[in-house]
Amino acid sequence: MRLMLLGPPGAGKGTQAESISKQFNIPHISTGDIFRQNIKNGTELGHKAQEFMNKGLLVPDELVVDLVKDRLSQEDCQNGFLIDGFPRTIPQADALDRELNNMGINLDRVINIQVDREILIERAVGRRVCKQCGAAYHIKFNPPKAEGICDKCGGELEQRKDDLEATVAKRIEVYLEQTEPLIAYYSRKGIIQNIDGTQEIKTVFNSILEGLRG
Ligand code: ADP
Ligand code: ADP
Ligand code: ZN
């Protein structure tokens, strides 16, 4: 299964990706996670990406495309993958198209998670992520068992720097301008599956599974 998750910041892509990746035993490829890992490790890429991310802007296409190409060529992607957070611009989508063509493969489905703006802000601002394993929680909608501690690994939870309200608002604006056009792009290819992302986490997951069966 070769899948892609599309949706605005805070829609629940990362949360659903975790379940989908387990269900189908395919790697979850999140460009946001890759950048955050690079920032944590103090790499040059991390350094470059950070200045855009903290402002709520997209990292330039040329820093993203090769990174995804490399990742898709790895052994664990042979039997499928789930891409989350990429592409975010039409040039990125075109580059991905060309690469998949070269590899002789197609995307099976683009899962488009739809959520209104006010809900997105509340979700992103209340998001807390594990410093150690990256798992995402929400102070109100998906709290950990013990406050501030990751259920999965015991790591400490923190707020992402770009999850402050003003930065989230900027990211939504950037999404509408640069990423939303991808819905039409993939609709034309006939592989879009629209999902109501305002439902409970489990219900959203069930809708995704249902859509993939149909
Ligand atoms: P994205 O990867 O699209 O930015 P996340 O999966 O990190 O989004 O979710 C954003 C925040 O909203 C997190 O705090 C997460 O726990 C919470 N969340 C995700 N899905 C739902 C949902 N269906 N209902 C309520 N809160 C959710
Ligand atoms: P969210 O889905 O909550 O917006 P991500 O973790 O996917 O968050 O992305 C966080 C930030 O990383 C983005 O705001 C952007 O700066 C950068 N980023 C991630 N993926 C890409 C991409 N494909 N192209 C450009 N920038 C990206
Ligand atoms: Zn953890």
Side-chain angles (χ1 to χ4, degrees):
M1 194 88 80
R2 299 187 182 99
L3 305 174
M4 180 191 289
L5 278 166
L6 200 60
K13 300 181 298 297
T15 301
Q16 296 302 326
E18 206 184 307
S19 305
I20 298 168
S21 145
K22 262 195 213 127
Q23 176 83 18
F24 296 107
N25 195 21
I26 48 178
H28 169 207
I29 302 173
S30 156
T31 43
D33 285 350
I34 295 173
F35 287 134
R36 280 184 289 275
Q37 197 62 45
N38 273 275
I39 292 172
K40 199 171 149 191
N41 296 338
T43 70
E44 196 185 329
L45 175 65
H47 196 73
K48 284 185 188 155
Q50 189 167 30
E51 86 185 69
F52 297 96
M53 291 169 76
N54 288 346
K55 289 184 194 145
L57 301 174
L58 293 183
V59 174
D61 291 341
E62 58 270 25
L63 294 182
V64 188
V65 169
D66 287 345
L67 185 145
V68 175
K69 281 190 197 171
D70 275 2
R71 184 64 190 88
L72 290 178
S73 71
Q74 285 168 25
E75 182 67 32
D76 64 336
C77 291
Q78 290 281 321
N79 295 317
F81 48 75
L82 171 63
I83 316 180
D84 161 15
F86 180 93
R88 266 180 150 95
T89 63
I90 298 278
Q92 288 182 19
D94 285 336
L96 178 65
D97 245 17
R98 283 195 297 273
E99 183 63 12
L100 293 177
N101 254 319
N102 288 340
M103 295 169 79
I105 56 180
N106 280 313
L107 281 176
D108 293 307
R109 205 69 66 87
V110 174
I111 302 162
N112 177 36
I113 306 184
Q114 300 174 303
V115 174
D116 292 337
R117 192 175 183 284
E118 302 81 78
I119 302 180
L120 292 174
I121 298 219
E122 190 181 8
R123 281 194 188 172
V125 170
R127 168 163 50 195
R128 298 293 180 273
V129 296
C130 176
K131 276 186 182 176
Q132 218 156 273
C133 76
Y137 298 85
H138 190 281
I139 50 174
K140 191 159 132 199
F141 305 133
N142 185 27
K145 292 196 183 81
E147 200 185 318
I149 308 286
C150 178
D151 291 349
K152 295 181 182 95
C153 78
E156 199 186 325
L157 303 186
E158 64 179 355
Q159 186 174 33
R160 269 167 52 176
K161 272 204 181 122
D162 59 349
D163 274 344
L164 300 176
E165 187 164 343
T167 317
V168 175
K170 180 69 196 172
R171 283 159 58 206
I172 294 173
E173 206 181 287
V174 166
Y175 166 83
L176 292 173
E177 215 170 89
Q178 304 196 55
T179 310
E180 200 186 46
L182 296 179
I183 297 175
Y185 184 101
Y186 289 111
S187 292
R188 279 196 296 276
K189 293 182 187 284
I191 51 173
I192 277 262
Q193 172 188 337
N194 290 315
I195 296 289
D196 174 4
T198 62
Q199 311 169 91
E200 272 184 45
I201 293 175
K202 274 196 190 122
T203 316
V204 174
F205 181 54
N206 287 329
S207 307
I208 292 173
L209 290 183
E210 224 168 86
L212 290 175
R213 272 187 227 112

